[in-house]
Amino acid sequence: MKNVYLVDYARSAFTRAHPRKPEVDGWADERGDALLARVIDALLQRSGLAPDAVEELSVGCALPVKEQWSFGGRYPLWLSRLGPQGRACASRQIDQQCGSGLAALRSAAREIQAGAVDVAIAGGYENMTRVPMGPTLFQQGVLTAPGALRDAAWLELEVVLNMGLTAERLARVAGIERDAMDTFALESHRRAARAEAESRFDGERLALANAAGETIVRDANVRPDTSPERLAGLDPVFLEGGRVTAGNSSPLTSGAAAAVLMSPAALVRHAATPLARLVAFADVGVVPERMGEGAAAAAERALALAGLDAPRIDAWEINEAFAAVPLHAMGRLGLDPERVNVWGGALALGHPLGATGVRLAGTLARILAQRGARYGCATACIGGGQGTAVILERM
């Protein structure tokens, strides 16, 4: 199979989503597919890549319903500069829940590995103000579950369908206490604030104007002033007497991200310098009631496929859907905390579900470059009991 290279990556600023208070979300008046189109255009412009050079567009979205249904990825293609010029560009939309962005990256990479295309874009988006989370969509009848599964002896569907309850279950089974999760959340905000102060996100995060003409430059969820006392004062959200709070869970978020992938021949043809080589992808299934275990399990499989072990990984991006997830992975894999989410994670930056996987991989590639390190692993748990991971090598 051909090698695949991540050549460039960009994202919008991530905003705080709130379906009942849309005024707090800077992207409340922007469709997710339109926001992704603007990110794609920015990538094309700064790379000098002609729209008709792109042969493949894979789009991740965790809730591809209502206006987030993209007609198989055609809407963001048509809304971007790929539109008329990219008529021959194939597209698809992928729902692998929180792994949708990494699934889009994997799908595009596989096409290049197989020799089907030479240049592809993988993107993802979610506007969690305009299209709310699952519970609301279940109440509206937009989402449904098979009745037969409600009586399945092997499945606790009421837990599986509530991500917060799966995090509670993982924390209890793995022995992760609330103070550890709060401490991890505090450090995520501190690292994100420090990365912001050091301008670490300037190379990836775009300054884009919203419908009101306001240029959104910063990620809205970072709380530099949070404290142990504030986090300790929050009540459990999902379970009375539980451990999971709004402070140690990722916030509702809107945003979009995209990355350009190329084959070796395309690198030469377009005189492009890659950020990283995509070494290995891995997907796994895990117990659905403890879906957070998927991040560690997928990383283990990706390491095995790449012929590596955890100590050889210089930087990790483990999605902070809940603090329990990276804490579980760090314990299971024996990771050095100083190598994990060094610029903060989803607890602080936010988690626009379909865009997150692209952010994980793109940010990881930039961290490897900044640190002069060789290998990195990005991994995420997935609702329904899955995990997905990718290993990168800096070029």
Side-chain angles (χ1 to χ4, degrees):
M1 292 191 298
K2 292 184 179 180
N3 281 326
V4 183
Y5 298 94
L6 195 161
V7 174
D8 200 2
Y9 147 70
R11 66 176 176 90
S12 71
F14 289 172
T15 55
R16 178 171 289 274
H18 200 309
R20 294 187 301 278
K21 297 179 181 178
E23 64 274 9
V24 308
D25 187 347
W27 299 129
D29 294 325
E30 184 96 41
R31 287 175 58 111
D33 49 13
L35 186 60
L36 175 58
R38 296 171 68 189
V39 174
I40 291 170
D41 283 348
L43 278 175
L44 293 175
Q45 181 174 0
R46 77 184 190 185
S47 68
L49 193 63
D52 60 5
V54 180
E55 303 160 90
E56 174 91 9
L57 173 65
S58 289
V59 178
C61 181
L63 286 169
V65 298
K66 295 190 170 182
E67 66 178 40
Q68 293 195 157
W69 179 75
S70 74
F71 203 16
R74 301 315 277 174
Y75 290 163
L77 185 148
W78 289 339
L79 289 166
S80 73
R81 288 176 57 216
L82 295 176
Q85 296 89 345
R87 288 190 200 91
C89 181
S91 69
R92 63 184 53 82
Q93 184 171 38
I94 300 172
D95 160 22
Q96 199 177 4
Q97 296 298 281
C98 295
S100 299
L102 277 174
L105 196 75
R106 180 185 66 242
S107 175
R110 293 295 192 221
E111 292 295 308
I112 293 174
Q113 286 179 322
V117 303
D118 284 314
V119 180
I121 291 178
Y125 65 86
E126 213 82 37
N127 189 310
M128 299 173 77
T129 291
R130 297 171 68 92
V131 179
M133 284 286 287
T136 298
L137 297 175
F138 272 101
Q139 292 169 7
Q140 296 173 354
V142 175
L143 303 180
T144 62
L149 291 179
R150 299 189 182 279
D151 301 321
W154 58 272
L155 183 70
E156 295 180 71
L157 194 60
E158 71 281 1
V159 174
V160 172
L161 291 176
N162 186 316
M163 298 303 103
L165 291 180
T166 68
E168 287 281 8
R169 184 68 60 87
L170 176 63
R172 178 170 60 79
V173 171
I176 302 170
E177 300 297 336
R178 172 171 170 175
D179 61 348
M181 294 193 286
D182 286 351
T183 298
F184 186 90
L186 179 65
E187 182 63 13
S188 182
H189 283 277
R190 287 176 173 171
R191 291 184 180 192
R194 184 166 60 247
E196 184 71 67
E198 295 172 352
S199 302
R200 299 297 185 194
F201 301 120
D202 287 0
E204 66 181 74
R205 189 181 54 201
L206 304 169
L208 301 173
N210 64 12
E214 303 164 332
T215 300
I216 303 181
V217 180
R218 295 202 171 197
D219 301 309
N221 296 300
V222 181
R223 295 289 180 265
D225 59 346
T226 195
S227 67
E229 294 75 22
R230 287 186 181 183
L231 290 169
L234 296 172
D235 293 329
V237 177
F238 303 100
L239 187 67
E240 186 175 351
R243 309 174 193 191
V244 179
T245 71
N248 56 45
S249 307
S250 59
L252 299 182
T253 312
S254 299
V260 177
L261 305 180
M262 289 188 184
S263 69
L267 291 181
V268 174
R269 186 162 62 249
H270 298 286
T273 302
L275 289 170
R277 180 174 72 93
L278 280 63
V279 177
F281 287 94
D283 288 336
V284 298
V286 297
V287 176
E289 291 86 351
R290 302 193 303 274
M291 64 96 193
E293 294 178 350
E300 288 174 335
R301 184 172 183 185
L303 288 168
L305 290 172
L308 299 170
D309 55 20
R312 292 193 64 191
I313 302 299
D314 302 296
W316 294 80
E317 281 293 310
I318 304 174
N319 189 36
E320 298 172 0
F322 301 92
V325 176
L327 285 170
H328 168 265
M330 290 161 63
R332 178 163 159 175
L333 299 170
L335 305 184
D336 178 358
E338 295 305 312
R339 296 187 180 192
V340 178
N341 300 357
V342 297
W343 293 351
L347 293 170
L349 298 172
H351 180 19
L353 310 178
T356 287
V358 180
R359 185 201 71 78
L360 292 172
T363 297
L364 178 63
R366 299 186 67 252
I367 288 171
L368 292 176
Q370 184 265 328
R371 291 191 157 195
R374 183 173 182 182
Y375 289 115
C377 179
T379 186
C381 60
I382 299 173
Q386 296 189 80
T388 185
V390 62
I391 291 178
L392 305 182
E393 181 181 20
R394 179 179 65 89
M395 303 309 298

